[in-house]
Amino acid sequence: MNSLLEVRSGPAYYACRANVLDTLDAKLSKGNIGKVLIIHGEKSWKAAQPFFPSLKNIETTFFTYSGECSDSEIERVQKAALELGVDALIGIGGGKLLDLTKSAGNSIHKDIILIPTLASTCAAWTPLSVIYDNDGSYVRYDIHERSAWMLLIEPEILLDSPIAYLRAGIGDTLAKWYEGNALVERLATKSVCIELAHIAARQCQEILLTHGEEALEDLKKGKWTDALKHVIETNIVTSGLVGGFGDQYLRIAGAHSIHNGMTSITQTHHLLHGEKVAYGILVQLLLEGKFSEIQHLLPLYKALKLPMTLSDIGLKIEDKAELQQIAAISVQEGEGIHLLFPDISQEKVTATMENLEILTNHASKSIN
């Protein structure tokens, strides 16, 4: 029964509260950490610096990353960490930077501390990294043996984060239900851990449908509310639990395959990861013939400004070559879409995107 299941529950320590970073110096010292490499981006460090402690008892080196979680960037971080002889890596930033920190830290067997500056993915929770090339095209994802040691969320940092990233996080996290449930529906039996993952996936959908729009409004106003905290922790924590307890049985399916195809088209590069995944959810649902689910989601998509038409992703129905390229890459060998549709073809995906355009354009006119 689900004998290949591997459970990785999440960080050893998690906290989300005001001034949580003030505890970092003491926690590092208690963990016998004397030297750290702090990996950050320019924007992420600007956001985190006002809340970052001096670490009086810890030797620190700062490292600015290039903007991609690529193999060459992972090697660059590894080299710096080994040359410095650090005990731990601290990643401060969004999903790609946190994935980079996890990849580098795992490869050299060092402790990992993550401080997210965006609430756009579950990257802060999951022992998994999505790898891109240096141009931002998807390459693969790697699953790590070790989770992060600590995950620390300072609410004030996230209150100053761009609205677009929370919106993208909602899109990415919605996929936990629509992809995960589609996979679970195909299982004859479910272990206790898969049951837990399935419950978490449903919780993702319910919280986001209930509080997603309110949370975006609260973030615009700079107000830390219950709705905003619920959505942020859903994007990071509950979302991470789905893959952590469900492993490949609830991880990714059709929506992420469509995302992977979209990364190869320059017209879609203005979209964030979760926005591409959100569009992929609609394509997957249409492939499944779940029209009522699409109708249920479209009002939320419109309210949150998630992409639901080709024009939203930078394309037109006449862009046949681009649609075919997205489709071709989405059905490559090894893509998650085959878990739902083993014999799926490029032509089927292309036709589905064209049909989705008709459906969403018609539906958007009727949504108030």
Side-chain angles (χ1 to χ4, degrees):
M1 181 193 297
N2 314 134
S3 58
L4 298 178
L5 179 70
E6 295 185 353
V7 175
R8 295 172 172 83
S9 57
Y13 178 86
Y14 163 68
C16 173
R17 62 176 183 271
N19 304 313
V20 69
L21 299 186
D22 291 344
T23 67
L24 184 56
D25 199 326
K27 287 188 178 299
L28 290 173
S29 296
K30 192 173 181 180
N32 295 317
I33 303 297
K35 186 183 293 187
V36 298
L37 180 66
I38 300 173
I39 307 157
H40 62 85
E42 292 180 5
K43 291 180 181 178
S44 60
W45 179 241
K46 183 178 179 181
Q49 186 176 17
F51 307 96
F52 198 80
S54 60
L55 300 183
K56 297 176 184 177
N57 302 309
I58 312 297
E59 185 178 335
T60 60
T61 302
F62 290 85
F63 183 101
T64 304
Y65 95 124
S66 69
E68 288 296 343
C69 180
S70 63
D71 285 318
S72 61
E73 189 67 357
I74 293 166
E75 291 174 11
R76 198 165 73 93
V77 176
Q78 289 170 351
K79 182 179 179 182
L82 290 172
E83 287 179 351
L84 291 164
V86 301
D87 304 308
L89 280 66
I90 299 178
I92 303 174
K96 286 187 177 181
L97 187 139
L98 302 182
D99 280 0
L100 172 68
T101 305
K102 289 180 290 183
S103 286
N106 266 277
S107 66
I108 57 175
H109 309 292
K110 301 296 181 182
D111 282 319
I112 300 160
I113 299 98
L114 302 177
I115 302 169
T117 57
L118 304 170
S120 53
T121 72
C122 61
W125 191 271
T126 55
L128 179 153
S129 295
V130 181
I131 312 300
Y132 298 86
D133 64 22
N134 289 323
D135 296 322
S137 293
Y138 170 82
V139 176
R140 68 181 189 279
Y141 70 86
D142 296 336
I143 299 173
H144 308 303
E145 289 301 316
R146 301 169 70 224
S147 297
W149 174 31
M150 287 193 283
L151 165 57
L152 306 175
I153 296 178
E154 166 54 64
E156 289 292 331
I157 293 176
L158 297 185
L159 270 179
D160 199 35
S161 63
I163 303 293
Y165 285 90
L166 183 61
R167 177 188 301 116
I170 292 171
D172 196 29
T173 304
L174 279 171
K176 296 297 180 181
W177 171 250
Y178 294 102
E179 290 185 299
N181 184 58
L183 291 171
V184 167
E185 286 177 341
R186 286 156 172 77
L187 296 179
T189 59
K190 292 181 282 185
S191 69
V192 168
C193 287
I194 288 175
E195 290 277 14
L196 286 171
H198 199 203
I199 291 168
R202 169 61 89 177
Q203 182 78 352
C204 287
Q205 187 224 30
E206 291 178 352
I207 291 291
L208 297 179
L209 289 179
T210 303
H211 298 294
E213 190 174 357
E214 182 183 356
L216 277 183
E217 289 301 316
D218 292 338
L219 184 58
K220 286 179 185 176
K221 297 172 185 174
K223 294 168 56 180
W224 186 256
T225 63
D226 287 343
L228 181 56
K229 184 177 181 182
H230 270 63
V231 168
I232 284 174
E233 290 196 302
T234 297
N235 285 356
I236 294 174
V237 180
T238 314
S239 178
L241 290 172
V242 177
F245 279 92
D247 196 25
Q248 76 267 25
Y249 298 101
L250 276 96
R251 185 159 275 129
I252 57 173
H256 274 80
S257 294
I258 299 301
H259 158 276
N260 296 343
M262 291 170 68
T263 65
S264 71
I265 302 295
T266 57
Q267 291 94 325
T268 70
H269 282 186
H270 67 286
L271 295 172
L272 297 171
H273 169 86
E275 292 174 312
K276 296 187 186 81
V277 172
Y279 181 78
I281 291 172
L282 300 180
V283 177
Q284 177 189 305
L285 288 173
L286 190 54
L287 283 166
E288 294 179 274
K290 294 182 177 178
F291 300 100
S292 61
E293 294 276 13
I294 295 173
Q295 297 291 350
H296 186 52
L297 275 178
L298 289 182
L300 179 70
Y301 272 52
K302 188 156 188 177
L304 300 187
K305 298 180 180 177
L306 288 170
M308 49 193 276
T309 66
L310 289 176
S311 63
D312 292 336
I313 67 173
L315 295 173
K316 303 184 295 294
I317 196 73
E318 294 81 17
D319 294 326
K320 302 294 185 183
E322 286 80 1
L323 294 178
Q324 289 167 6
Q325 183 173 331
I326 292 171
I329 292 176
S330 73
V331 299
Q332 287 183 142
E333 184 178 353
E335 279 292 343
I337 199 168
H338 294 291
L339 297 173
L340 300 180
F341 315 105
D343 301 318
I344 192 77
S345 67
Q346 172 188 339
E347 292 75 20
K348 178 67 173 177
V349 174
T350 304
T352 301
M353 286 192 289
E354 292 171 344
N355 290 334
L356 179 65
E357 184 69 359
I358 297 169
L359 191 156
T360 52
N361 274 312
H362 177 74
S364 64
K365 293 174 184 176
S366 62
I367 299 172
N368 293 325

